[in-house]
């Protein structure tokens, strides 16, 4: 901390010293196409090895100044071969540029932020265009990547403002550690923690607070490079196993005048995947009404299920008739009727308003960009909202011909009120929104909207009894949302300052100081009137990671045929976290005094800090031969404080090469073809304090302190996890580059797994930290691009397709163990040896040899315990984009899909148990309503055979049958999570300049944008197959989530 | 400039040398050394929490309260109908037994034994830990049968401990109790951190012997002569002689140390009410404990039992306000958990006398046992009402069928002590209870619980071996001491 400020201060002080200019002279010139002699506008001209650059004007003319006779000018433009010319002592340079037949000299950002020509890479780096992310927006920008990158799986919670988004690349590499990639913005690693409570990550309700990487602002993103494989990421050493997402932010460019732009999006969100409910029967456990002493029928209000009387308009005393202050209803029986849209109408129309203003400018000496973004979002759940302000400053200045200083600083302030509760039931907080789990179908939610009666009393539907108006299990949902809400806010600063020294035109050294720092406060409360004790809790999480890096880069053409590039770097990283938490106990001392001081009994306190230091040395060397053969080696050494002092250094090498064999073929059919091959070793570090054994403090017994031996056993000889990966690829382009493909196959073996191994508690510990096990991932990724139409009138149609298939296997766990338990709810999620990670195990149907379901003599399905119900990992994933453009008009559509993967649905399980869902009504195979008494021909017959082989003929009454299924046959509620989604649509129009020629406006474009427009196919009933429990490893459970929302809006972009 | 860079490089990399690393990685959040007193308090609390419940956890006890038909669920009658087979025992090992083992280790290892003595003589700390371990294991084996015992609690030496058969566990528990009582050195001083007896070693000795009495008597169906010798042995060494020696765990008034009953009824919707079986039995005998065990129904002001073993729908239609919830004293935050009582010791002595193992007066001891139970609950017991009570048919001691007399009265006196009530019902065969009318798959009253799923997943080989020897992992499988007669 202190150190970083010193360095920052030092750099700030140094700045003025270098502000005088050296002797300069101007060079003028003109650029023409070699074939046509037509001037080429927009060519980038840079003095090699400097930031000094300009762009040719509409006549192909340029002017650039330099101070040195040794200077080399680099001319580059998309579609042309880059040309380098020495300045010498000339003052005018005319250039002829030749069209690049390959048109493939695309440039990508690779590890350490080094820009490389894509063709020189021996591994796959997928570039994602930022286009559209700042138009069709996601509050969590990670969701914007869905379907766009082969081999990247994203599971987000679309209906929840700023909810979690989980991202995995090329499968699962760590059994119990993190499986999220490393995010790097302009070289600065950003934290992506998730502060969801254990309750939420274990599918027991709670709230989804989202992962912190959502602080990245799409308006400031220039480009994204996805380093999926080990080779691409190897230079990040012990943080590279899960891949890296490299983000480059926008920066100012040398230009005339000041560029100002305004980007504004307004969108509306509406819940779009809601369960199919039944609307024939109301609340209660039996189909008859009870009667009051005066003979009136009375509804069963205490019950929170819908097995009650048929909804036929009977006059019934309902909940609102028991509140004397509701004079309109008090004592009156009202019709017992359905309200089919009660839940649908409960969800409001959400809205998101985003405005970005940016100012940029620059000249030969300096460039800058300032940007301010404001997001104002209102969720679909009542009383939920998000506000986010982002300030970004990117500046770079040449302090002298050889010294460049740069600063990239971002400040994000976000606050959310009313994160919606998730889950069907929460052990200690029945927070509500139980429409899909515990509810009465006939309830008219709009009657509860004004949740306090004229006397101030809270109106509840779930009355304990006609004489006791206290809520039994559930409060009024509106009361819960408006008075028992959470709020959280984060202030974050991240960015870096750097100083580059160009020692020679070929060698430069840069020093960086980077930080990512935030304070995150979460508060939650249960107000007076809630069914359980009033409560207030508050946590403060402070995170800081500082990195100091020195990087030397050497680039030289050794001969016309050979080029050499060497990078050597050193980094020291210090990560500190500090967490304090308090929760009141025994209720609040004064009603609705939401403060830790209000705790009636001693409050629960937690206080935890961690510190981690990792020092690293790394380097890479690559050689190229005639744009045809390339080879690269890298290595990195990491010293980590979290490992035993005696063995705390680990090396992560990689080798890769590529061969552009089209250079040999020189075929016009095959203008570009390349093979690549690479091997790399990457790691996954460990958390601090896992080596020695300690005791844990528990809450005291009166005045007696209480300590306990932890349930988790540490390990004094821990090693980092290691992934060895081989990757091979083939890419090519045909037909004038209108058809292209890129295929990558990889195989990864992850060993030394740091497993918080769940062990038999009879050993005295429920968990032990071990290094063991082996996990393999094999897969293939295919990207295809095609331009079916490219008409001379300007109309074009581009198709992009990506497809990925990953096969995961848990090859080995620790000795003697054949399963690793990731989590348990009704079913368990496991990593069993010989099976894929994420295998669902639970109770299923017992089958006979013919595969028929077995039924016992009483008509119940026989249960097979501990049945393998499939893996949560998909068979394959992918996406298809279509882009049509004609003059100023563009249309972009994205469809993405997932095939396979299993999902356990709590909505289905509990929603049928309690008689809410459509499948709990209808007719049986005799054509009689299933809910009619069995004696009258109703009931349901289990389809199966007895152990003697006879077909079951016993009918069970509907609730008995369905509740038995829900309680005993989890298999019934495990579904295929396959989906095809219409994820994104953008229709944009850039207005012709002549329309506003008189105005000081450069460009205007208007787009209609939509996200999550439709589910084209899904197999899971009632819910969105995409369900993420935070961003941890316990997944595959749909825990009665907030419904997904469709977003439709408009985007206006104006440049001044 | 070059020099500056080299210097700054050096600053970056040599300020954190490797010695710093060890310091950086020292956990600032948790201590490396703590007092054994603090561990003892924690392990006693965890034991009670797992077995009897505490704060927001029911613990195991609610299950036998339901199986023994003291209670009926007011809505979700799944437990009443024997739906769920497994129950988890691992928390007992992890949270309590492992800490007790740790106390033994800290008092045994030469490096730590000296500093451990600050909280009491090593032998006495070890004795308490051994007695509590024996208590925990006898409860565990009475619920599940074969369980990991001799290979358990060895940490990373054995993550998959084998299961010991119940007979072997019983033999070792008896040995442990004998040795622990023998090693107690009352003169050397008490032990700190003991919630149960506040470190009074004389009382621990009595508890060890009383527990041995219980454990010995448990063997009557399977090995009468061993039962006799262990019981006689225990009696000769000295057992509880009055209420003040009861083994009780005192809950405290506030969270998290209040009782589970308190927490559940004070802050949640009542899930259990007193069953018809209990209420009607107490009413038919005119038992004064009715007013303590139950409270009148909220709606009618009468004592009304909740029907036992009916479907969720039927139960839900009744509603908790129409039936009797557990008594007011039972729901008090500080009402202690009873590990073992003087009344139980008297019942055991009555049975020993009835079996002719001692020359005591079985009937007199039986009456004293009932009196002790009433006394515990603050009921007058030396008046004519008490005499009428004990002399009536249905209570009066029958020396021929002493199992029935003792079984029925023990059932009434062991209310709140679910695990022991269930064991003694299995051993004595009384009171006669009917299985739930809506029992799942026509199941009988359970005679054990199934092993936790986690054992199936994490300790499969030993799990398989255990059920191969003991019988299927269902609730009808009888334990070793519970042979069918």
């Amino acid at each position: 901390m202190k150190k970083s400020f010193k360095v920052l201060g030092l750099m700030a002080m140094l700045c003025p010293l270098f502000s005088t200019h050296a002797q300069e002279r101007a060079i003028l010139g003109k650029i023409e196409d070699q074939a046509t002699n037509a001037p080429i506008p927009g060519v980038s001209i840079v003095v090699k090895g400097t930031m000094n650059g300009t762009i040719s004007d509409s006549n192909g003319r340029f002017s650039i100044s330099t101070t040195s006779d040794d200077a080399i000018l680099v001319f580059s433009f998309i579609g042309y071969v880059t040309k380098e010319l020495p300045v010498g002592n000339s003052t005018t340079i005319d250039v002829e540029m030749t069209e690049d037949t390959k048109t493939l000299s695309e440039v990508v950002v690779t590890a350490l932020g080094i820009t490389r020509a894509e063709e020189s890479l021996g591994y796959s780096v997928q570039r994602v265009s930022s286009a559209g992310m700042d138009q069709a927006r996601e509050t969590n920008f990670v969701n914007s990547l869905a379907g766009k990158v082969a081999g990247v799986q994203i599971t987000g919670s679309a209906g929840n403002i700023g909810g979690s988004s989980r991202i995995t690349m090329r499968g699962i590499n760590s059994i119990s550690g993190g499986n999220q990639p490393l995010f790097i913005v302009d070289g600065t690693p950003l934290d992506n923690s998730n502060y969801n409570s254990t309750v939420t990550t274990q599918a027991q309700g709670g709230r989804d607070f989202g992962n912190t990487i959502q602080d990245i602002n799409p308006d400031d993103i220039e480009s994204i490079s996805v380093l999926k494989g080990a080779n691409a990421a190897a230079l990040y050493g012990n943080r590279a196993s899960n891949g890296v997402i490299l983000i480059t932010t926008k920066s100012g460019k040398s230009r005339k005048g000041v560029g100002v732009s305004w980007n504004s999006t307004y969108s509306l969100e509406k819940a779009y995947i809601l369960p199919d409910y039944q609307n024939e029967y109301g609340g209660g456990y039996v189909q008859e009404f009870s009667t009051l002493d005066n003979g009136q029928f009375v509804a069963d209000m205490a019950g929170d299920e819908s097995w009650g009387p048929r909804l036929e308009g009977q006059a019934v005393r309902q909940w609102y008739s028991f509140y004397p202050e509701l004079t309109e209803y008090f004592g009156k029986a009202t019709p017992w009727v359905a309200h089919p849209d009660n839940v649908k109408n409960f969800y409001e129309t959400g809205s998101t308003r985003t405005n970005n203003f940016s100012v940029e400018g620059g000249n030969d000496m300096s460039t800058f960009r300032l940007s301010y973004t404001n997001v104002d979002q209102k969720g679909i759940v009542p009383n939920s909202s998000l506000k986010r302000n982002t300030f970004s400053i990117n500046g770079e200045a040449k302090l002298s011909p050889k010294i460049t200083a740069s600063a990239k600083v971002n400040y994000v302030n976000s606050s959310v009120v009313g994160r919606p509760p998730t889950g069907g039931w929460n052990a200690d907080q029945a927070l509500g929104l139980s429409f899909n789990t515990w509810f009465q179908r006939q309830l008219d939610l709009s009657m509860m909207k004004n949740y306090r009666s004229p006397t101030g009393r809270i109106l509840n539907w779930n009355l304990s009894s006609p004489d006791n108006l206290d809520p039994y299990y559930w409060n009024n949902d509106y009361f819960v949302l408006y008075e028992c809400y959470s709020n959280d806010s984060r202030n974050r600063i991240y960015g870096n300052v750097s100083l580059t020294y160009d020692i020679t035109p070929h060698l430069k050294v840069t020093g960086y100081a980077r930080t990512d720092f935030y304070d995150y406060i979460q508060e939650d409360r249960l107000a007076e009137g809630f069914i359980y004790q009033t409560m207030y809790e508050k946590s403060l999480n402070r995170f800081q990671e500082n990195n100091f890096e020195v990087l030397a880069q050497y680039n030289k053409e050794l001969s016309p045929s050979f080029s050499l590039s060497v990078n050597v770097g050193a980094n020291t990283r210090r990560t500190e976290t500090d967490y304090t938490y308090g929760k009141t106990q025994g209720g609040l001392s004064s009603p609705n005094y939401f403060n830790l001081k209000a705790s009636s009994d001693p409050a629960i306190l937690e206080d935890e800090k961690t510190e981690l230091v990792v020092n690293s040395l790394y380097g890479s060397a690559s050689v190229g031969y005639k744009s045809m053969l390339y080879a690269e080696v890298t290595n990195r050494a990491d010293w980590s404080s979290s490992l035993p002092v005696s063995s705390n250094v680990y090396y992560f090498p990689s080798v890769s090469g590529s061969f552009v064999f089209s250079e040999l073929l020189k075929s016009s059919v095959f203008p570009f073809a390349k093979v690549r091959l690479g091997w790399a070793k990457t790691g996954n570090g460990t958390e601090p304090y896992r080596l020695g054994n300690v005791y844990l403090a528990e809450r005291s017994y009166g005045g007696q302190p209480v300590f306990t031996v932890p349930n988790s056993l540490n390990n004094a000889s821990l090693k980092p996890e290691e992934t060895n990966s081989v990757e091979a690829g083939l890419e090519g382009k045909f037909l004038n580059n209108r058809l292209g493909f890129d295929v990558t196959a990889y195989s990864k073996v992850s060993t030394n797994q740091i497993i918080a191994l769940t062990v038999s508690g009879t050993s005295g510990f429920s968990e032990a930290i071990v290094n063991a096990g082996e996990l393999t991932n094999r897969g293939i990724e295919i990207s295809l691009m095609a331009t079916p139409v490219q008409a001379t009138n300007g109309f074009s149609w581009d198709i992009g397709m990506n497809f990925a298939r990953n096969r995961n296997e848990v090859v080995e766990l620790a000795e003697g163990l054949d399963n690793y338990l990731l989590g348990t709810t009704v079913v368990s999620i496991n990593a069993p040896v010989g099976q894929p990670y994420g295998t669902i195990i639970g109770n299923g149907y017992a089958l006979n040899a013919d595969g028929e379901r077995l039924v016992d003599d009483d008509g119940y399905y026989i249960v097979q315990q501990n049945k393998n119900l499939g893996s949560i990992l998909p068979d394959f994933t992918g996406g298809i984009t279509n882009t049509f453009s004609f003059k100023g008009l563009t249309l972009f559509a994205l469809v993405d899909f997932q095939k396979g993967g299993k999902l356990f649905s709590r909505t289905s399980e509990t929603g049928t148990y309690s008689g809410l869902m459509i499948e709990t009504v209808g007719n049986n195979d005799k054509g009689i309503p299933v809910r009619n008494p069995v004696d009258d021909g109703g009931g349901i017959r289990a389809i199966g055979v007895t152990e003697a082989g006879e077909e079951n003929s016993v009918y069970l009454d509907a609730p008995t049958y369905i509740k038995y299924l829900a309680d005993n046959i989890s298999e019934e509620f495990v579904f295929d999570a396959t989906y095809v989604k219409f994820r994104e649509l953008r229709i944009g129009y850039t207005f012709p300049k002549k329309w506003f020629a008189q105005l000081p406006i450069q460009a205007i474009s208007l787009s209609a944008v939509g996200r999550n427009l439709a589910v084209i196919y899904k197999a899971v009933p009632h819910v969105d197959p995409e369900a993420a429990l935070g961003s941890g490893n316990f997944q595959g459970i749909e825990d009665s989530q907030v419904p997904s929302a469709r977003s439709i809006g408009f985007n206006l972009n104006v440049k001044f | 400039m070059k020099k500056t860079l080299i210097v700054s490089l050096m600053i970056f990399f040599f300020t954190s040398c490797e010695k710093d690393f060890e310091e950086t990685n020292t956990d600032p959040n948790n201590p490396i050394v703590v007092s054994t007193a603090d561990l003892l308090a924690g392990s006693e609390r965890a034991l009670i929490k797992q077995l009897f419940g505490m704060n927001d956890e029911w613990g195991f006890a609610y299950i036998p309260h339901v199986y023994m038909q003291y209670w009926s669920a007011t809505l979700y009658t799944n437990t009443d109908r024997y739906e769920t087979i497994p129950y988890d025992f691992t928390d007992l090992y992890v949270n309590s037994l492992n800490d007790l083992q740790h106390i033994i280790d800290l008092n045994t290892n030469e490096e730590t034994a000296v500093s451990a003595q600050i909280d009491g003589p090593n032998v006495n700390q070890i004795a308490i830990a051994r007695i509590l371990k024996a208590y925990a294991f006898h409860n565990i084996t009475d619920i599940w049968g074969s369980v990991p015992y001799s290979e358990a609690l060895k940490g990373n030496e054995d993550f998959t401990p084998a299961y010991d058969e119940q007979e072997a566990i019983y033999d070792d528990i008896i040995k442990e109790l004998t040795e622990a009582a023998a090693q107690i050195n009352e003169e050397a001083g008490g032990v700190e951190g003991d919630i149960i007896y506040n470190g009074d070693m004389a009382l621990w000795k009595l508890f060890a012997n009383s527990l041995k009495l219980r454990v010995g008597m448990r063997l009557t169906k399977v090995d009468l002569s061993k039962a006799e010798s262990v019981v006689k042995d225990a009696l000769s060494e000295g057992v509880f002689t009055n209420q003040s020696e009861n083994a009780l765990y005192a809950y405290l008034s506030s969270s998290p140390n209040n009782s589970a009953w308190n927490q559940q009824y004070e802050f949640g919707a009542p899930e259990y009410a007193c069953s018809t079986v209990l209420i009607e039995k107490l009413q038919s005998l005119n038992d004064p404990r009715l007013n303590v065990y139950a409270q009148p129904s909220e709606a009618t002001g009468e004592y009304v039992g909740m029907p036992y073993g009916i479907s969720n729908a039927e139960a839900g239609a009744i509603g908790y306000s129409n039936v009797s919830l557990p008594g007011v004293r039972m729901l008090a935050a500080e009402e202690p958990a009873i590990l073992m009582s003087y009344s139980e010791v008297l019942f055991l002595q009555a049975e020993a006398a009835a079996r002719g193992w001692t020359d005591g007066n079985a009937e007199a001891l039986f009456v004293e046992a009932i009196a002790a139970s009433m006394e515990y609950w603050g009921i007058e017991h030396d008046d004519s009402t008490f005499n009428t009570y004990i002399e009536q048919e249905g209570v009066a001691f029958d020396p021929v069928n002493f199992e029935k007399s003792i079984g029925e009265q023990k059932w009434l006196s062991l209310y709140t002590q679910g695990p022991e009530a269930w064991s003694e019902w299995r051993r004595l065969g009384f009171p006669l209870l009917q299985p739930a009318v809506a029992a799942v798959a026509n199941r009988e009253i359970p005679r054990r619980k199934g092993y936790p799923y986690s054992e199936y997943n994490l300790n499969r080989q030993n799990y398989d071996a255990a059920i191969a020897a003991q019988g299927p992992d269902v609730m009808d499988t009888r334990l070793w001491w519970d042979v069918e007669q």
Side-chain angles (χ1 to χ4, degrees), chain A residues 898-911:
Chain A
Q898 163 174 328
K899 167 74 176 65
K902 298 286 186 189
L903 183 73
F904 172 81
S905 169
R906 172 138 11 228
T907 294
S908 276
E909 183 229 28
T910 312

Side-chain angles (χ1 to χ4, degrees), chain A residues 575-615:
Chain A
T575 309
E576 291 177 12
T577 67
D578 197 337
Y579 164 68
T580 33
Y581 169 82
K583 182 181 183 179
T584 63
Q585 289 292 294
L588 302 174
S589 56
S590 175
N592 294 353
Y593 170 34
F594 297 113
N595 192 292
L596 292 175
K597 287 179 290 186
S599 188
S600 295
D601 294 338
I604 292 180
L605 297 173
E606 285 174 34
D607 178 0
E608 210 169 296
K609 41 186 178 281
T610 68
E611 190 179 359
L612 173 70
V613 178
V614 179
N615 292 335

Side-chain angles (χ1 to χ4, degrees), chain A residues 470-481:
Chain A
D470 291 338
Y472 194 49
Y473 296 109
W474 301 100
N475 278 97
N476 181 325
D477 292 291
Y478 287 100
F479 159 71
V480 172
L481 293 172

Side-chain angles (χ1 to χ4, degrees), chain A residues 247-572:
Chain A
I247 294 165
T248 309
T249 60
K250 289 176 183 163
S251 50
K253 298 195 174 46
S254 300
R255 54 170 292 149
K256 251 192 271 172
V258 175
V260 177
S261 79
W262 171 42
N263 188 39
S264 177
T265 309
Y266 183 71
S267 62
L268 296 174
E269 286 85 36
K270 217 161 165 65
Y272 86 119
I273 304 177
L274 285 170
D276 296 318
Y277 300 112
Q278 63 88 6
N279 289 298
E280 294 175 43
Y281 298 86
Y285 300 107
V286 289
Q287 291 189 26
E288 292 77 39
F289 289 111
S290 306
T291 31
L292 295 173
D293 293 342
N294 65 6
Q296 283 178 314
F297 280 147
V298 57
D300 180 348
M301 297 163 295
D304 55 356
E305 301 180 20
S306 287
W307 296 103
R310 201 176 244 288
L311 295 161
E312 293 172 320
Q314 308 92 310
V316 183
R317 288 285 300 277
Q318 303 191 44
W319 65 270
Y320 40 84
S321 73
F322 293 96
Y323 288 89
E325 61 267 41
L326 300 182
T327 46
E328 196 184 335
Y329 301 107
F330 183 65
K332 290 180 188 150
T334 45
W336 183 247
V337 292
H339 291 93
D341 291 334
N342 50 1
V343 175
K344 189 177 157 201
N345 294 340
F346 176 84
Y347 292 106
E348 298 176 347
T349 301
S351 64
T352 310
R353 198 190 306 269
T354 310
N355 280 291
N356 167 266
F357 299 92
S358 70
V359 182
E360 63 166 88
N363 54 34
D364 298 347
M365 299 308 294
S366 64
T367 60
F368 75 94
R369 179 176 183 271
L370 295 177
S371 152
Y372 166 68
T373 309
N374 172 271
V375 179
D376 192 343
Q377 187 176 29
K378 182 178 149 324
I380 58 170
V381 173
N383 194 34
S384 64
S385 63
L386 175 149
K387 288 188 170 57
R388 188 183 290 157
N389 291 299
T390 310
F391 300 86
S392 163
I393 303 170
N394 272 6
E396 188 168 272
K398 278 196 76 67
L399 305 179
S400 83
K402 295 204 161 193
I403 296 176
T404 309
S406 134
K408 299 182 175 191
V409 181
N410 302 274
Y411 167 71
V412 190
N413 157 259
S414 61
S415 58
V416 179
V417 173
R419 302 260 183 194
T422 64
W425 181 259
N426 181 330
D428 60 345
Q429 296 178 9
L431 279 174
L433 301 196
S434 65
F435 315 133
N436 304 341
T437 47
W438 307 103
F439 194 58
Q440 297 192 350
R441 279 301 304 145
Q442 87 291 348
L443 290 168
D444 182 359
L445 286 160
S446 66
M447 287 195 70
M448 289 172 231
K449 204 162 186 171
N450 293 321
Y451 57 86
R452 285 192 188 271
S453 75
T455 61
R457 175 151 60 166
I458 300 162
L459 299 172
N460 290 298
W461 62 268
N462 191 208
L463 304 183
S464 297
S465 71
D467 315 317
N468 180 353
L469 306 190
D470 291 338
Y472 194 49
Y473 296 109
W474 301 100
N475 278 97
N476 181 325
D477 292 291
Y478 287 100
F479 159 71
V480 172
L481 293 172
Y482 281 95
E483 297 199 16
C484 306
Y485 60 93
S486 72
N487 59 290
D488 57 287
S489 66
R490 185 161 54 238
N491 276 304
R492 184 172 196 164
I493 291 174
Y494 65 89
N496 67 75
V497 291
S498 70
L499 212 48
T500 303
Y501 181 53
D502 290 287
I503 297 167
T504 73
H506 306 294
L507 176 65
K508 65 173 177 178
V509 178
T510 311
Y512 297 94
R514 311 179 187 279
T515 194
D516 175 22
F517 173 69
Y518 63 78
D519 273 344
Y520 183 42
I521 295 174
Q522 291 170 307
E523 291 175 274
D524 212 339
R525 54 183 71 61
L526 296 177
E528 189 77 22
F530 192 75
I531 184 153
Y532 296 141
Q533 258 180 345
T534 51
M535 181 280 292
Y536 171 76
E537 64 183 332
K538 177 177 183 175
S539 69
L540 170 62
N541 277 287
R542 169 170 290 190
F543 175 92
Q544 177 147 29
E545 177 176 312
N546 291 336
N547 280 278
F548 299 97
E549 185 184 17
V550 175
L551 181 65
Q553 293 172 278
Y554 178 79
N555 281 291
K556 182 143 195 189
E557 302 249 330
L558 298 175
S559 75
S561 306
F562 278 101
S563 60
L564 172 69
S565 162
V566 178
N567 302 291
V568 178
N571 188 79
T572 180

Side-chain angles (χ1 to χ4, degrees), chain A residues 168-169 171-182 230 233-234 236-244 573 612 614 636 638 640 642-643 650-652 681-688 690 718-724 748-755 769-771 775 777 837 1033:
Chain A
T168 54
M169 313 209 287
I172 301 285
N173 303 297
S174 179
I175 290 174
S176 63
N179 277 298
Q180 298 295 284
L182 174 65
Y236 294 101
N238 77 349
R239 301 174 108 178
S241 268
N242 302 315
V244 179
R573 154 160 77 107
L612 173 70
V614 179
R636 177 173 177 125
D638 283 324
S640 169
S642 61
L643 294 168
Y650 286 86
Y651 297 92
F652 303 100
K681 180 161 126 179
T682 54
N684 203 4
T686 180
E687 301 161 21
R690 288 182 128 181
L718 216 54
K719 290 179 266 201
E721 294 183 2
E722 186 179 305
T723 297
N724 279 277
K748 297 191 286 184
V749 180
S750 302
T751 50
N752 274 352
Q753 295 280 327
I754 298 171
I755 306 181
I769 310 298
V770 298
N771 269 122
L775 206 56
N777 285 283
Y837 188 87
N1033 289 334

Side-chain angles (χ1 to χ4, degrees), chain A residues 977-1051:
Chain A
T978 298
Y979 66 77
V980 182
K981 285 188 175 185
F982 186 6
R983 184 72 71 175
E984 184 172 324
L985 177 70
R986 301 193 304 265
I987 304 168
Y989 184 64
T990 304
F991 295 96
K993 185 132 197 232
K994 60 187 176 198
W995 291 13
F996 45 87
Q998 271 73 21
L999 300 171
I1001 291 174
Q1002 305 284 326
I1004 304 178
S1005 60
L1006 182 67
S1007 318
V1009 293
R1011 290 276 306 165
N1012 302 309
L1013 290 160
V1015 176
I1016 298 166
Y1017 174 83
K1018 71 176 173 106
V1020 185
H1022 307 307
V1023 296
D1024 189 338
E1026 271 192 281
L1029 295 173
S1031 26
N1033 289 334
F1034 182 46
Q1035 299 291 338
I1037 309 287
E1038 180 275 322
D1039 188 28
S1040 185
Q1041 60 197 8
V1042 178
S1044 295
R1046 171 189 290 137
S1047 163
I1048 294 175
F1050 288 94
N1051 171 269

Side-chain angles (χ1 to χ4, degrees), chain A residues 14 129 231 253 276 319-320 551 582 641 790 847 857 869 896 945:
Chain A
L14 288 175
S129 156
N231 271 95
K253 298 195 174 46
D276 296 318
W319 65 270
Y320 40 84
L551 181 65
S641 69
Q790 196 167 38
L847 305 177
D857 295 338
L869 304 176
D896 69 336
V945 296

